[in-house]
Amino acid sequence: MKFCVHGIGYIGLATGALFANNGHDVVGYDPDEELVSDLRAGEPRTTEDDLREYVLEAMENGFEPRTEPVEADCHLICVPTPYDEDAGRADLTYVEAAGRTVADLLRPGDTVILESTVPPGTTEEVLAPVLAESGLAPGDDFSLAHCPETVLPGNITHELVHNDRIVGGVDAESADRAIALYEPATEGTIHRAPDATTAEFVKLSQNAYRDVNIAFANELARVAADYGIDSRDAIALANNHPRVDILNPGPGVGGHCLPIDPWFLGQSSDSLDLVKSARRVNDGMSEYIVELLESELGTLDDARVAILGVAYKGNVDDTRRSPGLRLARSLSSPRTSDKRASAVTDGGSYVETTCAEVRLHDPYVEDEVIDLQSLDDALRGADAVVVASDHDDFEDIDPERAASLVDNPLVVDATATLDEENWRTAGFDYLGL
């Protein structure tokens, strides 16, 4: 069968490779000429070794990256759906553009599947009308379904094949055709949703659940600190109950999915009370860590803080909505202080403000925009160290060497990555969440 994958970022690339490695003729279309050129040269844009090998295998099996779309039996739409924070809505520009591209190529009997994460109703109320401009009717002349991706960066290849799938069509035959395509290529169970809107809702519900669960853990961490309790010990004990499964606290929630997808649920609903609270709690963890540092240091006036980890999670290079970067912005922003640091004008009067000097280190991230330093340079002369990503590499940091480099042995381990006993033995004041 001929596939055309619209959008070959990390989801479209992996999805195209999946079907190519299962015997299909796949074209990966993307207007980004440099991305396509890199792929043709055997340089996929990924730091995941398994995914790189999987994509290169797909290239050998005929996966063809192109800057022009083609007619196909199945069009897979895997384009970005950013969140417009000013408008408070999902930006569906890329979905609409992909729909217009597909409409120009659509033939009777084709199948169109939207994999992008979208607000409920997008497949039927946004994409279907665009596709109908072809003169063909969704559900009658061609099949249209939604099958959201559910892979986790850092483990894409395994989850692409093994995760369960949710498929919802604009009609029963559309769902049947989509299921028939995914079943031979994946080992997870294919679950049929009543319709495309339900499939969209389910994906958002899964990510909102995780965000809310993390927010609950983060709130427990803050409350436990007021009682002098180790929150992780308490959570581990609470999880012995068969109906309790609390996640771990941390410095916040990052990536493209969890901080964004819950808001999509509110695109046409005013009932996001719990979700809004969870978003506020998780985004507020950077300020909580700042408060911990102020409590320990007395002031952040000219304090030097080393932040270890600007990737949004461990062992990946993705910095989208990174808690570490959010913390860096909070520390670098002027704050009111009793101690003079700099003066800003506020309605004609002077308000004393203070901010810290931040050093950033991450062994996985390469980004010319972010001022990253070596581990030694980040630690040298630091008044505090904050671990903001749970990279395996950080477990191997020698606490005695770290103690010899810093000016003040204070570490806030927001991800429970370090060995507390070893760092305390090396002379550090250790704070966890």
Side-chain angles (χ1 to χ4, degrees):
M1 181 174 283
K2 180 85 169 186
F3 280 74
C4 183
V5 179
H6 297 253
I8 47 175
Y10 80 97
I11 294 300
L13 180 63
T15 302
L18 172 71
F19 286 104
N21 287 333
N22 279 273
H24 296 285
D25 182 7
V26 181
V27 168
Y29 158 62
D30 201 292
D32 186 333
E33 294 183 359
E34 185 177 352
L35 182 151
V36 170
S37 178
D38 288 346
L39 267 177
R40 286 177 173 171
E43 293 296 334
R45 293 182 183 177
T46 177
T47 57
E48 296 185 33
D49 291 338
D50 288 348
L51 180 57
R52 177 183 296 275
E53 293 176 9
Y54 195 66
V55 170
L56 293 179
E57 178 186 350
M59 300 280 285
E60 294 177 358
N61 288 328
F63 176 60
E64 182 184 3
R66 296 180 55 169
T67 55
E68 295 294 334
V70 298
E71 291 184 340
D73 303 303
C74 178
H75 293 273
L76 282 167
I77 298 176
C78 305
V79 296
T81 52
Y83 182 66
D84 186 333
E85 297 196 25
D86 292 334
R89 298 179 64 82
D91 181 355
L92 299 177
T93 302
Y94 296 106
V95 172
E96 294 169 345
R100 288 191 292 270
T101 299
V102 172
D104 290 339
L105 302 164
L106 205 55
R107 306 166 303 184
D110 287 347
T111 297
V112 181
I113 300 174
L114 176 63
E115 280 210 1
S116 305
T117 303
V118 293
T122 299
T123 302
E124 296 191 9
E125 298 170 14
V126 177
L127 182 57
V130 173
L131 295 172
E133 294 174 5
S134 65
L136 302 176
D140 292 328
D141 300 318
F142 67 92
S143 297
L144 175 60
H146 180 60
C147 180
E149 58 82 12
T150 59
V151 296
L152 183 70
N155 198 31
I156 290 177
T157 307
H158 177 82
E159 296 203 347
L160 183 74
V161 175
H162 292 88
N163 281 7
D164 287 4
R165 290 272 186 165
I166 307 292
V167 173
V170 297
D171 66 337
E173 184 176 353
S174 292
D176 289 341
R177 289 194 177 187
I179 290 171
L181 292 174
Y182 285 100
E183 275 188 332
T186 60
E187 297 184 21
T189 302
I190 310 296
H191 302 276
R192 180 191 294 268
D195 48 50
T197 301
T198 301
E200 294 161 343
F201 188 88
V202 168
K203 167 63 187 291
L204 302 176
S205 300
Q206 290 170 334
N207 283 349
Y209 166 79
R210 293 179 60 208
D211 191 44
V212 169
N213 194 322
I214 294 169
F216 180 57
N218 282 334
E219 187 155 292
L220 286 180
R222 299 177 70 154
V223 173
D226 292 335
Y227 289 97
I229 292 171
D230 185 307
S231 65
R232 291 174 187 268
D233 286 346
I235 288 172
L237 289 168
N239 284 343
N240 286 312
H241 192 287
R243 292 185 294 280
V244 175
D245 186 17
I246 306 169
L247 297 178
N248 286 317
V253 173
H256 175 67
C257 296
L258 297 197
I260 297 297
D261 293 355
W263 292 121
F264 286 9
L265 284 170
Q267 188 95 335
S268 300
S269 173
D270 295 325
S271 300
L272 286 188
D273 295 337
L274 182 58
V275 166
K276 287 181 180 178
S277 295
R279 290 277 71 248
R280 175 180 53 78
V281 169
N282 286 335
D283 285 347
M285 290 306 291
S286 60
E287 281 298 318
Y288 177 65
I289 293 172
V290 170
E291 292 168 6
L292 288 178
L293 292 171
E294 285 182 320
S295 175
E296 292 296 316
L297 298 176
T299 178
L300 292 177
D301 179 12
D302 297 327
R304 296 175 294 273
V305 180
I307 297 178
L308 308 187
V310 298
Y312 85 88
K313 64 185 291 288
N315 306 327
V316 303
D317 65 349
D318 192 338
T319 62
R320 288 178 295 179
R321 297 180 179 268
S322 153
L325 292 179
R326 185 183 303 117
L327 173 61
R329 288 192 293 270
S330 295
L331 287 167
S332 301
S333 299
R335 307 171 64 81
T336 58
S337 171
D338 293 334
K339 183 176 180 180
R340 174 175 294 276
S342 61
V344 297
T345 302
D346 179 17
S349 60
Y350 284 99
V351 178
E352 304 307 328
T353 63
T354 180
C355 58
E357 174 192 330
V358 176
R359 292 94 166 270
L360 303 174
H361 168 72
D362 196 300
Y364 286 82
V365 175
E366 294 182 6
D367 192 320
E368 295 179 355
V369 177
I370 303 173
D371 183 17
L372 294 169
Q373 302 183 27
S374 69
L375 177 61
D376 281 5
D377 286 345
L379 293 177
R380 189 171 288 111
D383 297 299
V385 180
V386 179
V387 180
S389 301
D390 53 342
H391 294 318
D392 289 345
D393 291 39
F394 294 159
E395 297 178 14
D396 298 327
I397 296 175
D398 182 352
E400 292 186 359
R401 174 165 177 75
S404 71
L405 291 170
V406 301
D407 276 0
N408 182 53
L410 168 65
V411 62
V412 178
D413 185 5
T415 59
T417 299
L418 308 180
D419 185 310
E420 178 179 352
E421 182 177 351
N422 287 344
W423 283 74
R424 288 191 181 278
T425 300
F428 277 87
D429 291 328
Y430 177 99
L431 298 178
L433 295 184

